[in-house]
């Protein structure tokens, strides 16, 4: 990523995490480090991926990356922004404001809540069922 390009910090919490299937889209992005939301969100199990919604009481665990405009456009395509997920600025606990992909609450009716706020932990626990 060139420094001359416009960069955006993005919080990822599911299939874009390092080691997860969609992480390849972040190849070349700068890892800022681990991140955690303030306890104002809910993470839902949407089957093969999680969905983040505002207005909860959980702190969600993830990673923060700095991406350029082309990479952000690729992430928007993957997430179906703005028709499916909505890219929204959120405040992280102690790390400032970043962009995150949130799903509108009306799409989350009857979807199980991931109480731990951690997609990786949830997937491990789910495999043990």
């Amino acid at each position: 990523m060139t420094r001359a390009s416009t960069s955006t910090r993005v919080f990822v919490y599911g299939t874009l995490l390092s080691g997860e299937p969609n992480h390849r889209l972040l190849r070349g992005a700068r890892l800022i480090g681990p991140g955690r939301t303030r306890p104002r969100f809910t993470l839902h199990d949407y089957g093969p991926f999680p969905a983040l919604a505002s207005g909860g009481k959980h702190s969600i665990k993830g990673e923060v990356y700095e991406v350029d405009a082309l990479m952000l456009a690729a992430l928007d395509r993957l997430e179906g922004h703005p028709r499916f997920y909505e890219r929204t600025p959120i405040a992280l606990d102690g790390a400032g404001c970043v962009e995150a992909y949130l799903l509108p609450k009306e799409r989350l009716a009857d979807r199980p809540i991931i109480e731990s706020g951690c997609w990786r932990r949830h997937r491990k626990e789910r495999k043990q069922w």
Side-chain angles (χ1 to χ4, degrees):
M1 187 167 75
T2 64
R3 291 283 171 216
S5 66
T6 303
S7 64
T8 303
R9 288 186 177 201
V10 178
F11 175 73
V12 300
Y13 53 86
T15 65
L16 287 164
L17 291 165
S18 59
E20 296 293 326
N22 289 319
H23 184 72
R24 69 192 185 308
L25 292 175
L26 290 169
R27 191 173 298 128
R30 185 169 77 105
L31 172 64
I32 303 301
R36 185 175 283 279
T37 69
R38 293 180 178 168
R40 298 181 184 150
F41 296 90
T42 304
L43 193 62
H44 293 263
D45 185 331
Y46 216 82
F49 56 89
L52 182 64
S54 62
K57 61 180 179 171
H58 297 108
S59 180
I60 310 307
K61 187 177 178 181
E63 298 167 346
V64 178
Y65 289 87
E66 188 174 82
V67 302
D68 63 20
L70 288 173
M71 196 172 288
L72 186 62
L75 295 176
D76 283 351
R77 280 189 301 277
L78 172 74
E79 304 293 10
H81 169 73
R83 293 171 314 285
F84 189 68
Y85 279 95
E86 296 173 359
R87 183 165 38 88
T88 307
I90 66 167
L92 292 183
D93 201 15
C97 195
V98 296
E99 295 288 312
Y101 292 92
L102 276 63
L103 209 53
K105 290 178 191 172
E106 59 270 13
R107 292 202 174 147
L108 294 167
D110 301 322
R111 295 291 180 166
I113 293 173
I114 300 172
E115 295 290 338
S116 68
C118 179
W119 174 244
R120 285 184 172 140
R121 179 176 163 189
H122 176 71
R123 278 191 351 154
K124 253 186 219 178
E125 291 168 353
R126 194 169 62 180
K127 284 182 181 179
Q128 294 173 357
W129 297 345

